[in-house]
Amino acid sequence: MALSVQEMSDRFEIQDLLVGYCYAVDARDFDKLDDYFTADAFIDYSEMALFKGTLAETKAFLTASFQQVLAAQHVVSTTRYEFAADRQSAKTKTVCYNPMTVTNGADTDTMICGLWYIHDLVRTPDGWRIAKLYEEKSYLIGVPEWLKDQMG
């Protein structure tokens, strides 16, 4: 399949967007998420973390929930792209492998989350941005008992 220069550029820009999101979350730089999402974005973590909301609500949720996360590493790969005919929007589905070390203050555990990121993206004057993020659960390994009621 031959790709146009524009489609190659779009794919690279979107991949940088997805990686930037992961790095911002892992670094707990939640205000940086403003650079990756539209102002009216909707984020749905309900299959993995029983949460969904606006970008502002998501930043507050991540700030609170990451209090029990000692380390996280979001690893993304194998993205599938579907561009709209007008090239102004796209959908992606990306594999994410996410080991996390978590603590409740008494116990520390490392668990692994396997999921797919499903994005609706739009081209803006500032480049591609995420308008919607949905996390689709694939598997959870080693979730500690004390955390199970907070997971999807």
Side-chain angles (χ1 to χ4, degrees), residues 96-114:
C96 179
Y97 176 82
N98 177 211
M100 300 175 77
T101 301
V102 293
T103 187
N104 65 359
D107 298 309
T108 299
D109 298 279
T110 298
M111 62 184 203
I112 300 170
C113 304

Side-chain angles (χ1 to χ4, degrees), residues 23-126:
Y23 273 69
V25 171
D26 290 343
R28 302 164 197 258
D29 188 1
F30 304 124
D31 286 334
K32 186 76 172 159
L33 298 180
D34 295 341
D35 295 343
Y36 306 116
F37 288 88
T38 61
D40 63 347
F42 186 75
I43 295 93
D44 186 343
Y45 298 149
S46 60
E47 283 193 36
M48 298 297 293
L50 304 177
F51 168 85
K52 54 184 163 183
T54 65
L55 180 56
E57 292 166 337
T58 300
K59 289 164 49 175
F61 168 77
L62 290 170
T63 299
S65 65
F66 263 65
Q67 295 302 309
Q68 59 193 10
V69 178
L70 300 177
Q73 191 174 53
H74 291 74
V75 181
V76 291
S77 65
T78 57
T79 299
R80 184 182 66 212
Y81 301 84
E82 295 177 20
F83 290 95
D86 66 2
R87 313 260 337 142
Q88 297 304 302
S89 63
K91 294 183 179 292
T92 60
K93 185 172 184 177
T94 303
V95 171
C96 179
Y97 176 82
N98 177 211
M100 300 175 77
T101 301
V102 293
T103 187
N104 65 359
D107 298 309
T108 299
D109 298 279
T110 298
M111 62 184 203
I112 300 170
C113 304
L115 60 137
W116 288 277
Y117 284 135
I118 300 171
H119 293 98
D120 290 352
L121 302 117
V122 294
R123 188 188 303 274
T124 74
D126 296 320

